[in-house]
Amino acid sequence: MAITCPRGTRDLLPGEAVFWQNFKETASRVFGLYGYVPIETPIIEQTELFVRGIGEATDVVSKEMFTAISGANLQTLLDGGKLESRRRLSLRPEGTAGVVRAALQHGLVPQGAPPVKLMYAGPMFRAEQPQEGRQRQFNQVGIECLGADDATIDAEGIVMLMRFFDEIGIPASETRLLVNSMGCANCRPAYRDLVYDYLKQHASQLCDTCLARMEANPLRAFDCKNAACAELMEDAPKITDHLCDDCRSHHDEVLDLVKGTGIDYAEDPSLVRGLDYYTRTVFEVQTGADRAQSAIGGGGRYDRLAEEIGGKALPGFGFALGYERCLLALQARGFELSSPKGCSVFVASATSDVCAAAFELVQMCRDQGVAAELDHQGRSLKSQFKLADKLHADFVAIMGPDELSQGLVKVRNMNSHDEQLVAVSEVAGVLKQLVS
Ligand code: HAM
């Protein structure tokens, strides 16, 4: 059987690849208005970066990372030896840890400097159970703002994401924006203990996963899809009732600023997100009825991540949106991918002896910046016209032996069917004017 792409991955065929290109360009344009500039980091990083940055107890790190080891290291493992985690590399499951690593490594945020605003777009990898909207390789567009802990950063980030969704055709009115605060190193430990105690009291009602998570990461129980756990967690202590004064006022300021822009949001004290690095603001944007795969984007503040991975204190805020989930949301609203335009001008040869002249003209058009194509398969003139139609050519230049002997080429407008004779020496320039 012919080899297919791995489960949970997909090919972006030309129509979609062009859409993905435009999608990234829209993100660059919108995020550029807010001062974000591009950064590219490697697709593979040291496994330790994700273990320390995202958190060993998270599903993303403990179960979903694709970790690569060299042939030599594989042999060590097969021989029963142990590997240092530093020597392992993993495909990035998300972009934040890599961007923070790069900012620290290259000193992008010197002491006293204004915050650095970075954006990225590209594939992320998680070994999840594939289903619609949940893939093993998926594309994210994300931003990270490093070096400021002001609530204005969080608020403008949330507003910017909603503006982007609007721009690509997912209106804010058709999404749910959920916001919460995860507290900080001062208030979260005590809150975590409260949730732990609550879970312990109700241990008999918990699913096996929550029981297992209880010790390492009790707050993850808020994310459990099991109906009994979800019901139980409705009465669990809420973080927003246990924030310290600083976190409370930071949270209130973020909410006030977002509200001031007219964007609707809902406070959701059960929003905990699946990555351990968050402090204070967390948020998620959802669409559609299916809540499991409904998050089209999310993020928050992570003021301790830089230190967790061995760097200096560097507050940060960011988000990422899932390209494939955005496409699904758009398609649910009737959007259809279109095949890319083949060319503006098709140069047809009436007989085989004018092929060289056609080859020359098509090249002249391209040199003038006009997308031009010709037949490469010896088609009849009639099927060359069909091909020109299929390629959505606006004009066909017909190379006929009689016209050529008089130094002329016939140019047909494919919409109006008007025809005109143009001198061979001028035809590329005329076509350029016609298509522009
Ligand atoms: P995340 O919520 O894990 O956050 O992922 C962001 C978005 O990526 C999700 O809302 C979803 O649209 C998409 N996504 C996640 N997993 C999959 C998957 N398996 N298949 C398809 N789409 C998926 C982060 O990754 C954080 N790094 C965001 C962030 C940036 N926080 C701070 N800065």
Side-chain angles (χ1 to χ4, degrees), residues 101-266:
R101 193 254 326 126
L104 291 169
Q105 184 175 339
H106 304 285
L108 296 188
V109 200
Q111 199 63 39
V116 61
K117 294 176 161 185
L118 304 165
M119 62 164 291
Y120 52 90
M124 307 294 160
F125 304 84
R126 296 184 193 176
E128 300 198 71
Q129 211 40 47
Q131 50 186 288
E132 189 174 69
R134 186 170 293 277
Q135 293 170 223
R136 292 183 168 171
Q137 176 176 339
F138 56 98
N139 287 297
Q140 280 188 348
V141 176
I143 63 106
E144 313 297 343
C145 175
L146 305 172
D149 60 8
D150 215 281
T152 49
I153 295 291
D154 311 34
E156 78 168 15
I158 293 173
V159 173
M160 177 172 90
L161 179 60
M162 300 312 283
R163 291 281 187 271
F164 172 78
F165 285 141
D166 250 345
E167 193 82 5
I168 58 160
I170 306 176
S173 55
E174 292 180 24
T175 64
R176 294 181 295 280
L177 167 61
L178 307 177
V179 190
N180 190 23
S181 172
M182 297 293 290
C184 67
N186 290 331
C187 52
R188 184 143 26 122
Y191 170 69
R192 190 177 179 276
D193 290 348
L194 279 178
V195 176
Y196 176 81
D197 291 345
Y198 179 82
L199 293 176
K200 197 100 190 158
Q201 275 168 30
H202 299 89
S204 59
Q205 291 159 262
L206 293 176
C207 73
D208 291 347
T209 317
C210 284
L211 268 181
R213 279 173 177 161
M214 191 167 74
E215 300 295 333
N217 205 346
L219 302 194
R220 296 293 306 143
F222 280 107
D223 235 7
C224 187
K225 304 288 178 280
N226 180 298
C229 294
E231 200 182 321
L232 184 72
M233 293 316 285
E234 277 178 22
D235 294 328
K238 305 282 177 280
I239 178 102
T240 33
D241 296 332
H242 299 275
L243 295 175
C244 62
D245 290 348
D246 285 351
C247 287
R248 179 80 257 165
S249 66
H250 189 274
H251 189 49
D252 289 344
E253 198 182 340
V254 172
L255 297 180
D256 283 349
L257 287 165
V258 172
K259 191 187 269 171
T261 66
I263 290 174
D264 276 342
Y265 62 82

Side-chain angles (χ1 to χ4, degrees), residues 2 39 149 170 219 301 331 433-434:
I39 185 167
D149 60 8
I170 306 176
L219 302 194
R301 176 159 286 287
Q331 287 170 328
Q433 286 203 331
L434 286 171

Side-chain angles (χ1 to χ4, degrees), residues 74-95:
L74 179 61
Q75 199 52 54
T76 309
L77 275 186
L78 291 174
D79 293 345
K82 276 195 120 188
L83 292 184
E84 293 290 318
S85 71
R86 216 175 309 120
R87 292 167 62 197
R88 275 181 254 157
L89 298 174
S90 292
L91 291 176
R92 59 183 189 191
E94 56 101 56

